[in-house]
Amino acid sequence: SLIEPGESIIIHGGTTTFALVEFLADSDLDILTNSFPIAAKLLTTSRNRITLPGGTIFREQNIVLSPFENDTVENFWGNKLFTGCYGLNRFGIMEADPLIVQAQTKLLKRTEHVVVMADSSKLRRKSAMIVAGLERISVIITDDGARPEELEPFGAAGIRVIVAKVSEQDQVKRPA
């Protein structure tokens, strides 16, 4: 419901954002993704227009990243960026992998609204690398395992927080 028909969006690679793909089948979107698996899934399950940046595919991270500033990413504008993270807290979006930081930083420059998709375990993780502060985040989507004290800094910063109820079936798939 956060995505309007005909909108241009950006989806950063990751396992959480990969789950978003199943909800985009009947959409009419322009989508930039730096994720080869997300692009492949979108191509086989939807009629959306897909753009991949040029560059090297990093297998471990499952992302495409160019060493050059002036690549496809620099010519795309998405109203919203959907991204996961290593950790999320009062300092903002945190990552542990420098390549992921580089990729996210490029994508953050090409959007107005940042939607962070993070299961509640990410609210308890920290890293030395902050990708973006709370002022850059528009919406956080997490699960009902999030404690009120973990969500409080986001509400205080004016961020819309969406808490999804986790079913028993989802509980089996949930990361540890």
Side-chain angles (χ1 to χ4, degrees):
S1 67
L2 295 175
I3 302 170
E4 301 292 326
E7 196 168 33
S8 293
I9 65 170
I10 302 169
I11 305 174
H12 179 53
T15 55
T16 306
T17 53
F18 185 83
L20 176 64
V21 172
E22 73 177 274
F23 300 101
L24 303 178
D26 297 326
S27 303
D28 177 30
L29 304 170
D30 284 307
I31 301 172
L32 169 71
T33 184
N34 61 355
S35 167
F36 197 73
I38 288 174
K41 184 74 171 174
L42 284 167
L43 284 171
T44 60
T45 62
S46 78
R47 307 265 320 146
N48 295 298
R49 290 163 301 286
I50 314 305
T51 302
L52 276 168
T56 303
I57 298 174
F58 290 87
R59 282 185 175 86
E60 185 179 328
Q61 296 87 354
N62 270 325
I63 60 169
V64 180
L65 185 59
S66 171
F68 305 107
E69 276 300 312
N70 191 14
D71 63 12
T72 306
V73 173
E74 294 301 314
N75 297 300
F76 191 94
W77 175 257
N79 188 43
K80 295 177 187 91
L81 164 64
F82 291 84
T83 186
C85 61
Y86 176 83
L88 181 65
N89 55 42
R90 63 187 176 97
F91 299 109
I93 302 169
M94 298 182 144
E95 283 299 339
D97 184 327
L99 282 175
I100 299 292
V101 171
Q102 183 182 359
Q104 268 184 325
T105 301
K106 282 182 98 163
L107 297 178
L108 281 163
K109 294 176 186 175
R110 308 310 307 158
T111 190
E112 186 173 352
H113 303 285
V114 177
V115 179
V116 180
M117 303 170 65
D119 71 74
S120 58
S121 71
K122 305 291 179 83
L123 304 177
R124 296 179 274 284
R125 279 188 177 170
K126 292 184 178 144
S127 171
M129 291 183 266
I130 299 171
V131 179
L134 293 183
E135 71 283 350
R136 192 66 180 91
I137 303 170
S138 303
V139 178
I140 294 171
I141 303 170
T142 191
D143 61 73
D144 57 3
R147 298 187 288 255
E149 64 271 15
E150 293 168 333
L151 299 177
E152 190 279 324
F154 309 129
I159 299 168
R160 179 179 173 196
V161 177
I162 300 171
V163 178
K165 181 161 176 45
V166 178
S167 69
E168 286 183 34
Q169 184 181 13
D170 292 333
Q171 199 73 348
V172 173
K173 299 179 203 173
R174 196 176 194 180

